[in-house]
Amino acid sequence: MKRRVIIVGGGFAGIFAMRRLRLLRRRLEVIVIDQRPSAHFLPLLPDMISRPIAPASVMHDLRAECRRWDAMFLHDEVAAVDVPGVAVITRGLGRLSADAIVLSCGTSTAFHGRDDLRPAVMKLDDVGDAVEIAARARSAHWKTALVVGGGYTGVEVATHLRRLENLRRSRRRIIILELAPVLLPGMPRPLSEYAAANLMRMRIEVMNNRTLRDVIDQDAILSDESVFKNVLIVWSAGVKTPAFLSRLNLGHDRQGRLDVDKHLQAAPGVFVAGDAAGRIGGGAALRMGVQFSISGGRRAAANILRSLDGRALKPFEPMDPGYVIPMANMRSCGEILGVSAYGLAPSMMHYLMSVYRTFGAKRLKLLGDILRRR
């Protein structure tokens, strides 16, 4: 009888875990479960606001991907995970037992207890969200755009809203609201200061120590009682893992990211990869990123096979190639191989890596989309 591995989540970590399992072991049943039928290339979602990137260029059919690698895809939602029993409970099929599980379900927008604001704001979790933001940003029914959250995504979204406004020869206000006293909290100070100066150059205002308190009709009320009328609001104030992860009797942080050992194992038979993995081996939390998702998915898969064979597991030793905070005027910043980079070079790195990480034949189409002005 074949042994079974269930992968929860079809993002980079899940896809690369599935590929590694199929490459290294033929007599193994591999099941990928995701509530979306396609994988969405998240690093380019903000670009879709102002660049003519077709949705099909940044979406990858999970059923076709699994068929190509002789795995099974289930379009279903996971409701719970039985950690001691090594089983997954889905909304549609119920309980599915396995010999091992990979939890690679990623993250989505966190509202920090402000679910009452959901109907009044837009988020950026998938391609559909990006299309909606772009469509509403082109309308004439707003005077001020408020981007709630001054982290990576908030900065990217604001710059692409400004780029779209420039293309349309419009000068409506764009404001980033950040609860912390500085932009990009947690980033090295030189990068934060460079980004702030670039936003000022782009006529994007940053309001620190403030956030959104309420929305009445089309008017926004801030935490300092300021009122903005006829607003377009994008919420990008952090992320969290799916609720079923935070309900597990396992260590996790405030975002719901799970604590794992140095082998990416949270419990016997339960491995975690991608953004769902937080602290590794009791150390600091791993930064969220595509490269860590890919390498983590591969390592989790290899360690599952080693555990099934009774062999010693190997530690996860990720290489950090760096990160980029892309800004739409091509004045980006970040760290590449440990060296701070500013301006055009990190912008080009963002797009080159995005094209490189896109699946197969979509690369040329995506490159063409990026190069078109609109």
Side-chain angles (χ1 to χ4, degrees):
M1 183 177 178
K2 287 185 179 180
R3 290 182 166 183
R4 174 189 285 177
V5 177
I6 295 177
I7 299 171
V8 180
F12 277 103
I15 286 175
F16 278 86
M18 179 269 292
R19 290 179 175 182
R20 180 57 57 94
L21 288 169
R22 301 310 296 141
L23 280 171
L24 299 180
R25 186 69 55 87
R26 302 305 300 175
R27 291 191 57 79
L28 186 72
E29 183 183 13
V30 180
I31 300 175
V32 178
I33 305 175
D34 201 298
Q35 62 182 347
R36 286 197 298 237
S38 57
H40 296 200
F41 191 80
L42 303 184
L44 285 178
L45 295 187
D47 291 86
M48 293 182 69
I49 297 171
S50 74
R51 297 189 186 279
I53 297 175
S57 298
V58 288
M59 298 172 68
H60 189 59
D61 188 302
L62 288 173
R63 193 177 303 278
E65 175 72 12
C66 288
R67 187 184 306 117
R68 187 176 300 115
W69 290 85
D70 194 24
M72 179 186 297
F73 174 68
L74 295 180
H75 183 200
D76 204 344
E77 181 182 358
V78 171
V81 175
D82 178 357
V83 172
V86 193
V88 173
I89 296 89
T90 74
R91 302 287 185 193
L93 295 177
R95 183 183 182 88
L96 299 171
S97 298
D99 294 280
I101 296 170
V102 180
L103 298 175
S104 54
C105 36
T107 58
S108 60
T109 298
F111 283 88
H112 310 292
R114 293 306 310 273
D115 287 344
D116 58 304
L117 294 175
R118 282 178 182 261
V121 306
M122 293 178 290
K123 56 184 179 59
L124 189 58
D125 287 336
D126 56 33
V127 168
D129 292 337
V131 170
E132 180 187 4
I133 293 172
R136 291 179 60 179
R138 291 188 190 94
S139 75
H141 304 302
W142 59 276
K143 293 182 178 179
T144 302
L146 298 179
V147 180
V148 183
Y152 282 44
T153 304
V155 168
E156 289 184 69
V157 167
T159 63
H160 280 284
L161 285 172
R162 174 55 70 204
R163 181 175 185 273
L164 183 61
E165 284 292 283
N166 289 344
L167 290 172
R168 294 168 57 82
R169 293 181 171 81
S170 173
R171 297 180 63 86
R172 291 179 288 192
R173 293 178 73 182
I174 298 173
I175 302 171
I176 295 176
L177 304 178
E178 171 52 53
L179 189 58
V182 295
L183 186 74
L184 295 166
M187 289 291 100
R189 184 173 177 179
L191 296 183
S192 177
E193 291 178 345
Y194 177 90
N198 188 45
L199 293 177
M200 184 179 297
R201 182 185 297 111
M202 296 183 73
R203 294 181 291 108
I204 297 171
E205 304 168 52
V206 179
M207 295 185 173
N208 295 108
N209 301 304
R210 275 164 282 192
T211 190
L212 181 65
R213 195 189 79 189
D214 202 358
V215 181
I216 301 176
D217 295 327
Q218 297 299 312
D219 301 342
I221 304 171
L222 307 190
S223 53
D224 65 352
E225 305 297 335
S226 300
V227 177
F228 291 91
K229 295 185 175 297
N230 296 331
V231 292
L232 176 87
I233 308 173
V234 181
W235 185 280
S236 60
V239 296
K240 64 176 182 179
T241 60
F244 72 83
L245 279 194
S246 59
R247 291 196 298 265
L248 299 179
N249 189 24
L250 298 171
H252 57 79
D253 62 15
R254 61 183 179 82
Q255 294 173 308
R257 302 175 73 197
L258 298 178
D259 295 342
V260 296
D261 65 16
K262 63 182 180 180
H263 309 114
L264 295 180
Q265 192 168 216
V270 179
F271 292 78
V272 189
D275 293 348
R279 292 188 303 170
I280 297 179
L286 191 66
R287 178 170 52 78
M288 298 183 194
V290 171
Q291 182 59 40
F292 294 136
S293 294
I294 292 172
S295 57
R298 287 170 170 165
R299 174 51 58 202
N303 275 338
I304 283 174
L305 296 179
R306 297 181 75 88
S307 69
L308 294 178
D309 291 341
R311 294 182 290 158
L313 307 187
K314 289 189 175 182
F316 178 49
E317 297 175 342
M319 185 199 74
D320 188 355
Y323 58 90
V324 172
I325 303 162
M327 289 179 273
N329 65 343
M330 303 298 282
R331 295 174 180 263
S332 304
C333 60
E335 289 191 359
I336 301 174
L337 298 176
V339 178
S340 296
Y342 304 92
L344 182 61
S347 299
M348 296 301 296
M349 182 63 68
H350 164 64
Y351 290 114
L352 287 172
M353 290 305 298
S354 294
V355 171
Y356 173 68
R357 288 300 183 197
T358 302
F359 295 99
K362 296 178 183 289
R363 290 180 181 135
L364 286 178
K365 176 66 169 63
L366 177 61
L367 181 61
D369 290 350
I370 291 171
L371 293 176
R372 293 209 328 267
R373 178 177 173 82
R374 186 181 285 281

